[in-house]
Amino acid sequence: MPLAEGIRILLDKVMAVSGNELVPLAKATGRIVAQAIDCPINVPPANNSAMDGYGVRSNDCNAAVTLTCVGEALAGQPYVGAIEAGQCIRIMTGAIIPDGIDAVVMQENVTRDQQQVTLNAGVKSGQNIRLAGEDLTSGQLLFEPGHRIKPADIGLLASLGIATVTVKRKPKVALLSNGDELVEPGQPLASGQIYESNRYALAAMLKRLPLDVDEFGIIPDQPQSIRQAFSTASEYDAVISSGGVSVGDADYIKQILEEMGQIDFWKLAIKPGKPFAYGRLGNAHYFGLPGNPVSAMVTCHQLAVPALRQLTGEHSEPPLTITATTTEAIRKRPGRLDFQRGVAQRSEDGRLLVTTTGRQGSGIMSSLSNANCFLVLEQERGNIEAGEQVEVLLFDQLLS
């Protein structure tokens, strides 16, 4: 199955979780808006000065006119009273514009002697004044449901006096690894064993999303152990496993998933990551990732993550690719969409160049650790010569 078809099936089957919660603004970063947020006030709330200078009546002002300064206005300390003909006030950035003033002259464009202020340039009504509501108006829609709250959004909401936000609850995700050969880091290795890395890498990625991730640890290649873990995990919103979905004699994951749940599809025309499985396990969406480390990361990023974003209620757009020029020849067989790992950078003449990170085996984790992008090589494309154009997908916050 082509990758695009697999993603389409996933997104057709995954619905946003139900349930909302009210969280303090300081804890809302990265969460998904559950109810529309409207602006409660005008921004700015009143006409104010855009710079330091002098507030004047434009009808009084011609070049070289001299006005009498009768006071000052500071941000948070407005001038009280109206300005009459022939008068002006000293005004600072952000200060409210008092009655009678309709322009602000930059302080660099005046000459002051005691209380006498002489203008050195002409004045237009409205110059250097920020109008009430010119940024945001009271009642204006700020964020629709499905919006992921960014750091700048936190600042915006705080500036409007909003202290709490109603967000979607975090989906609960069970994360497990399968394999008798796996050993936790920090423990001694016996012959034939390797350190478990997939769960650590996947958890680091998933915890950057608004998810509650529970790590089930290493599940042995024993049917009863897998059944027991699946029974508990089936109460979650999603289950992600790595390993055991291939065709080896000891790969029981697929077999037991068919017994306890269902498989919607298995195997995709991508590299790395062909043995990817999707199905249902009780209440949970099930994502079966390959056991090789790079394959697990690529399939999680390209398949599980878009589905999980939809599960959180986020309205997200497909990632954008850009075109780059290869600096080397790249070997590729037609038949599968290939996600090779690479480094993209600008040349001195401004061109975007991309170089692979070397050996591209699905077990070579350094190829991903040293990269900042994927070279997305089309399914039917063959070998690529140096200087050819390829599509590049820059790493997002989940991989960088």
Side-chain angles (χ1 to χ4, degrees):
M1 180 183 294
L3 175 63
E5 178 67 8
I7 293 174
R8 186 194 65 77
I9 292 174
L10 289 176
L11 298 185
D12 282 347
K13 291 181 177 294
V14 176
M15 303 294 291
V17 294
S18 60
N20 304 332
E21 59 181 332
L22 189 68
V23 298
L25 183 62
K27 295 184 177 181
T29 306
R31 300 298 298 272
I32 308 303
V33 173
Q35 296 177 356
I37 303 176
D38 295 332
C39 185
I41 58 175
N42 287 329
V43 180
N47 295 349
N48 68 88
S49 178
M51 59 186 56
D52 298 340
Y54 290 86
V56 301
R57 296 158 52 107
S58 61
N59 288 339
D60 292 346
C61 300
N62 298 308
V65 71
T66 298
L67 305 171
T68 300
C69 185
V70 295
E72 67 177 7
L74 307 175
Q77 300 178 35
Y79 177 85
V80 179
I83 308 303
E84 299 179 355
Q87 297 179 338
C88 67
I89 61 165
R90 180 81 166 109
I91 193 166
M92 307 305 256
T93 303
I96 290 177
I97 302 295
D99 292 341
I101 297 296
D102 68 340
V104 173
V105 181
M106 295 173 59
Q107 59 188 18
E108 294 86 350
N109 292 336
V110 306
T111 302
R112 180 166 179 172
D113 181 12
Q114 300 296 325
Q115 300 306 110
Q116 302 304 301
V117 177
T118 301
L119 306 187
N120 301 323
V123 177
K124 293 182 179 180
S125 178
Q127 75 180 38
N128 300 323
I129 291 179
R130 295 184 292 212
L131 300 177
E134 74 174 21
D135 182 7
L136 299 169
T137 58
S138 178
Q140 178 180 340
L141 176 65
L142 295 176
F143 303 120
E144 295 181 335
H147 175 79
R148 179 175 54 84
I149 299 175
K150 305 184 297 295
D153 302 334
I154 297 291
L156 174 61
L157 295 172
S159 74
L160 300 172
I162 297 174
T164 58
V165 183
T166 301
V167 297
K168 298 292 291 183
R169 74 166 176 89
K170 292 182 178 181
K172 294 189 64 178
V173 178
L175 179 62
L176 58 94
S177 293
N178 171 240
D180 287 341
E181 75 280 13
L182 302 178
V183 177
E184 293 288 356
Q187 302 299 314
L189 285 178
S191 176
Q193 292 182 325
I194 60 172
Y195 285 119
E196 153 68 334
S197 63
N198 287 0
R199 196 176 78 255
Y200 288 86
L202 295 170
M205 179 193 300
L206 297 173
K207 288 176 181 178
R208 294 187 174 186
L209 295 171
L211 303 168
D212 280 331
V213 180
D214 284 349
E215 297 184 45
F216 278 40
I218 299 170
I219 310 302
D221 282 324
Q222 301 169 3
Q224 188 55 35
S225 297
I226 296 171
R227 289 190 183 95
Q228 188 172 20
F230 275 11
S231 178
T232 302
S234 66
E235 298 300 319
Y236 282 65
D237 296 300
V239 179
I240 299 176
S241 72
S242 65
V245 294
S246 192
V247 293
D249 291 339
D251 291 330
Y252 298 112
I253 290 282
K254 179 173 177 286
Q255 170 192 330
I256 296 171
L257 179 62
E258 289 176 323
E259 293 175 7
M260 299 180 65
Q262 69 183 56
I263 296 178
D264 287 271
F265 64 81
W266 176 52
K267 292 188 178 180
L268 291 169
I270 63 172
K271 181 182 180 182
K274 179 180 178 180
F276 171 89
Y278 168 74
R280 294 300 296 259
L281 182 64
N283 295 324
H285 296 276
Y286 177 84
F287 305 93
L289 311 182
N292 281 321
V294 179
S295 299
M297 291 288 284
V298 169
T299 52
C300 184
H301 186 260
Q302 291 297 309
L303 288 148
V305 165
L308 291 171
R309 286 189 189 277
Q310 190 155 294
L311 190 65
T312 67
E314 180 180 0
H315 293 166
S316 58
E317 297 295 328
L320 296 176
T321 59
I322 54 179
T323 302
T325 301
T326 60
T327 63
E328 61 187 336
I330 300 172
R331 296 179 62 185
K332 181 188 180 299
R333 291 181 179 179
R336 287 194 281 170
L337 180 66
D338 197 347
F339 287 84
Q340 298 209 15
R341 284 70 70 198
V343 176
Q345 55 190 350
R346 289 288 176 187
S347 65
E348 292 183 357
D349 60 3
R351 293 182 301 149
L352 184 65
L353 304 178
V354 64
T355 304
T356 70
T357 53
R359 296 174 62 193
Q360 295 288 306
S362 59
I364 302 176
M365 197 61 172
S366 61
S367 73
L368 190 56
S369 177
N370 294 331
N372 67 5
C373 68
F374 289 124
L375 288 75
V376 185
L377 307 179
E378 298 89 335
Q379 185 168 336
E380 297 309 320
R381 194 167 185 176
N383 290 336
I384 297 160
E385 299 299 326
E388 288 191 36
Q389 301 289 297
V390 295
E391 290 299 304
V392 167
L393 178 62
L394 297 176
F395 284 177
D396 57 18
Q397 78 277 12
L398 300 185
L399 290 174
S400 61

